[in-house]
Amino acid sequence: MKINNLGSMGVNPYKRNLEKSADAATKSQKKEDKVEISSKAIGLQQTNEVTKARQEKVQAIKTSLESGNYTIDPKAIAKGLVNFYKN
Protein backbone atom coordinates (compact mmCIF):
# COMPACT_ATOMS: atom_id res chain seq x y z
CA MET A 1 0.00 0.00 0.00
CA LYS A 2 1.35 3.37 -1.01
CA ILE A 3 0.39 6.45 0.99
CA ASN A 4 0.67 9.84 -0.67
CA ASN A 5 0.56 13.12 1.14
CA LEU A 6 -2.73 14.28 -0.29
CA GLY A 7 -3.84 17.70 0.73
CA SER A 8 -0.74 18.51 2.76
CA MET A 9 1.48 19.52 -0.10
CA GLY A 10 2.79 23.05 0.29
CA VAL A 11 1.46 23.41 3.82
CA ASN A 12 4.07 24.33 6.34
CA PRO A 13 2.56 25.04 9.79
CA TYR A 14 5.81 26.56 11.03
CA LYS A 15 5.89 29.07 8.19
CA ARG A 16 2.27 29.97 8.82
CA ASN A 17 3.06 30.55 12.50
CA LEU A 18 5.99 32.81 11.57
CA GLU A 19 3.76 34.83 9.27
CA LYS A 20 1.20 35.29 12.03
CA SER A 21 3.84 36.47 14.49
CA ALA A 22 5.27 38.87 11.88
CA ASP A 23 1.78 40.30 11.27
CA ALA A 24 1.26 40.71 15.01
CA ALA A 25 4.62 42.49 15.35
CA THR A 26 3.78 44.98 12.59
CA LYS A 27 0.37 45.66 14.13
CA SER A 28 1.88 46.27 17.56
CA GLN A 29 4.46 48.66 16.13
CA LYS A 30 1.72 50.86 14.69
CA LYS A 31 0.35 51.69 18.15
CA GLU A 32 1.64 54.91 19.65
CA ASP A 33 1.37 56.38 23.12
CA LYS A 34 -0.17 59.82 23.36
CA VAL A 35 -0.20 62.34 26.16
CA GLU A 36 -2.79 65.07 26.24
CA ILE A 37 -2.74 67.98 28.64
CA SER A 38 -6.07 69.51 29.50
CA SER A 39 -6.73 73.19 28.99
CA LYS A 40 -7.02 73.60 32.75
CA ALA A 41 -3.52 72.17 33.25
CA ILE A 42 -2.13 74.43 30.55
CA GLY A 43 -3.74 77.39 32.27
CA LEU A 44 -2.13 76.40 35.54
CA GLN A 45 1.27 76.15 33.89
CA GLN A 46 0.93 79.59 32.40
CA THR A 47 0.02 81.45 35.58
CA ASN A 48 2.96 83.65 36.40
CA GLU A 49 1.62 85.00 39.68
CA VAL A 50 2.18 81.74 41.54
CA THR A 51 5.61 81.14 40.05
CA LYS A 52 6.73 84.72 40.74
CA ALA A 53 5.61 84.49 44.36
CA ARG A 54 7.35 81.15 44.74
CA GLN A 55 10.57 82.49 43.19
CA GLU A 56 10.51 85.51 45.52
CA LYS A 57 10.06 83.23 48.54
CA VAL A 58 12.92 80.96 47.44
CA GLN A 59 15.17 83.96 46.83
CA ALA A 60 14.38 85.35 50.31
CA ILE A 61 15.26 82.00 51.89
CA LYS A 62 18.50 81.80 49.90
CA THR A 63 19.62 85.25 50.98
CA SER A 64 18.79 84.57 54.63
CA LEU A 65 20.69 81.25 54.47
CA GLU A 66 23.73 82.92 52.95
CA SER A 67 23.73 85.67 55.54
CA GLY A 68 23.23 83.20 58.40
CA ASN A 69 19.95 84.72 59.60
CA TYR A 70 17.68 81.81 58.66
CA THR A 71 16.21 80.15 61.72
CA ILE A 72 14.24 76.94 61.87
CA ASP A 73 11.21 76.72 64.15
CA PRO A 74 11.13 73.12 65.41
CA LYS A 75 7.67 73.56 66.94
CA ALA A 76 6.21 74.61 63.59
CA ILE A 77 7.82 71.62 61.90
CA ALA A 78 6.49 69.22 64.54
CA LYS A 79 3.03 70.78 64.30
CA GLY A 80 3.07 70.39 60.51
CA LEU A 81 4.10 66.73 60.79
CA VAL A 82 1.37 66.00 63.31
CA ASN A 83 -1.25 67.70 61.15
CA PHE A 84 -0.04 65.79 58.09
CA TYR A 85 -0.28 62.37 59.72
CA LYS A 86 -3.58 63.09 61.47
CA ASN A 87 -5.28 64.08 58.24
Side-chain angles (χ1 to χ4, degrees):
M1 181 166 161
K2 186 174 183 181
I3 300 175
N4 293 330
N5 292 335
L6 297 175
S8 65
M9 299 298 282
V11 176
N12 186 349
Y14 300 109
K15 185 176 180 182
R16 194 178 308 167
N17 192 18
L18 287 174
E19 290 173 356
K20 285 182 183 179
S21 65
D23 288 340
T26 57
K27 287 180 183 178
S28 66
Q29 290 176 354
K30 293 179 183 178
K31 294 181 182 178
E32 295 179 4
D33 292 335
K34 292 183 181 180
V35 176
E36 294 181 11
I37 299 175
S38 67
S39 59
K40 198 173 205 179
I42 292 171
L44 288 172
Q45 288 178 344
Q46 293 177 350
T47 55
N48 290 330
E49 297 173 11
V50 175
T51 56
K52 286 181 183 178
R54 186 174 287 163
Q55 287 175 352
E56 290 173 2
K57 188 174 182 179
V58 169
Q59 189 61 35
I61 292 172
K62 282 183 181 180
T63 55
S64 63
L65 276 172
E66 290 172 356
S67 66
N69 296 331
Y70 186 74
T71 57
I72 299 172
D73 186 14
K75 289 183 181 180
I77 293 172
K79 189 176 185 179
L81 287 171
V82 169
N83 289 337
F84 176 79
Y85 286 110
K86 280 187 177 179
N87 296 332

